[in-house]
Amino acid sequence: QALDRDPRYLPAHLGLAVLYRSRQTQEEFAKAEEQLRKARAADPENRRVLRLLADTLIDLGRPKDAAVAFQALVDLDPGDLDVQNRLGLLLLEVGDARSACDSFRRARDGHPGHDGVTFNLCLALAALDTAAEAQDALAILKRLLEKLPADDPITGEAVRLRDAILRREAGRK
């Protein structure tokens, strides 16, 4: 009824989107997307709407569209570490390693001690598959491994990435 009186009533669109998302089917995710797009039209800079839209697009298997929504979130708040990191991961997933590197660098610049972002930057550098970026990734991984305790979950991943880069680079020679 609220939407009958005011089709731009944001809380109604958000409530319906959350309800549809809770049902966890592709058809319901599509309905949620429709509500979230209407909510975004009513309030284009609403971070909650954008975040739900991005997550819904991921659930719909549309990482490129989700990356666009995450970029809009980054534009609203460039210092949001989680959003910047998620954007980088999505860009990496869709094959845009160069842009992913930029996103992870911005996140790392704002939060220099965040080991997860630093590791993700190394993943993106390795995905670029050039000798120069491989050397950059290895140098960053070396510093990261010197800092991390042996039982940190990132340590094992960093060692595996370092070893994979070293094997790949040895094959280039």
Side-chain angles (χ1 to χ4, degrees), residues 12-129:
H13 289 297
L14 275 172
L16 285 171
V18 169
L19 173 66
Y20 292 141
R21 283 184 52 76
S22 72
R23 295 179 181 158
Q24 299 288 308
T25 68
Q26 291 296 296
E27 183 178 321
E28 297 297 308
F29 286 136
K31 290 179 183 177
E33 178 191 4
E34 179 183 344
Q35 291 303 316
L36 291 164
R37 293 208 182 273
K38 289 176 182 178
R40 183 151 189 236
D43 187 356
E45 295 187 358
N46 186 300
R47 295 178 46 72
R48 182 167 183 225
V49 169
L50 277 168
R51 182 60 186 251
L52 278 171
L53 178 60
D55 290 342
T56 300
L57 293 167
I58 290 169
D59 291 333
L60 285 167
R62 293 168 37 204
K64 286 183 181 178
D65 293 334
V68 171
F70 272 107
Q71 183 60 59
L73 280 165
V74 166
D75 292 345
L76 289 173
D77 184 4
D80 186 325
L81 172 69
D82 179 57
V83 169
Q84 193 76 258
N85 193 46
R86 292 283 305 271
L87 173 61
L89 290 170
L90 283 168
L91 291 167
L92 198 53
E93 182 180 333
V94 300
D96 189 352
R98 180 74 54 207
S99 294
C101 284
D102 294 342
S103 186
F104 293 133
R105 280 190 180 105
R106 284 189 300 275
R108 188 184 63 171
D109 290 348
H111 305 273
H114 196 283
D115 300 330
V117 169
T118 300
F119 175 75
N120 290 341
L121 172 59
C122 293
L123 283 174
L125 287 167
L128 290 171
D129 198 21

Side-chain angles (χ1 to χ4, degrees), residues 124-144:
L125 287 167
L128 290 171
D129 198 21
T130 69
E133 272 87 3
Q135 292 308 308
D136 287 348
L138 287 170
I140 295 168
L141 286 167
K142 181 177 189 264
R143 289 190 301 275
L144 186 61

